[in-house]
Amino acid sequence: MEIWHNPRCSKSRAAKQRLDDEGIEYTERRYLDDAPTAEELDHVLKLLGKEPWEIARTKEPAYPKLLEHDRAKWIAHMVANPSLIERPIIIDGDKAHIER
């Protein structure tokens, strides 16, 4: 199991604490410091069953207001600006979800 985590985010901290409290082993990925590759983000999006614009944080300064729904362009933009990726994302084998 892996958690894409931002320690400054209360939702991320809560998700990490829940995993700790439940004794679940996981790898912590601070995705702002260790951004996913385009291939990794594409894979996680497929696991989530989402398009990149569906998990984009719309209030981030890097949010592309006029970018058409071109999956490859969005993924490239999100890899270059990982703060756009909604968090935290928990990846468990062939499943993933965004903690709310």
Side-chain angles (χ1 to χ4, degrees):
M1 181 174 295
E2 182 176 56
I3 181 171
W4 287 9
H5 172 64
N6 176 358
R8 292 177 299 214
C9 170
S10 62
K11 288 181 189 176
S12 283
R13 289 191 310 270
K16 187 175 178 297
Q17 186 63 54
R18 183 185 64 78
L19 294 174
D20 290 340
D21 290 348
E22 294 178 13
I24 297 171
E25 291 187 29
Y26 61 90
T27 301
E28 177 183 349
R29 182 172 189 170
R30 294 184 178 200
Y31 71 97
L32 295 179
D33 301 322
D34 181 16
T37 65
E39 293 78 19
E40 289 172 321
L41 182 55
D42 183 55
H43 175 71
V44 168
L45 285 164
K46 288 175 183 172
L47 294 179
L48 291 168
K50 302 278 187 188
E51 294 296 337
W53 49 88
E54 294 177 306
I55 69 159
R57 297 175 54 80
T58 59
K59 294 183 180 173
E60 288 294 320
Y63 184 79
K65 299 200 180 356
L66 299 175
L67 191 62
E68 69 270 12
H69 285 176
D70 179 307
R71 184 178 177 90
K73 286 181 182 178
W74 269 85
I75 289 173
H77 189 66
M78 292 174 94
V79 166
N81 300 278
S83 64
L84 288 170
I85 301 170
E86 186 59 69
R87 60 188 178 253
I89 298 175
I90 296 179
I91 304 147
D92 187 8
D94 63 350
K95 297 178 272 182
H97 71 277
I98 299 172
E99 279 287 305
R100 302 273 180 207

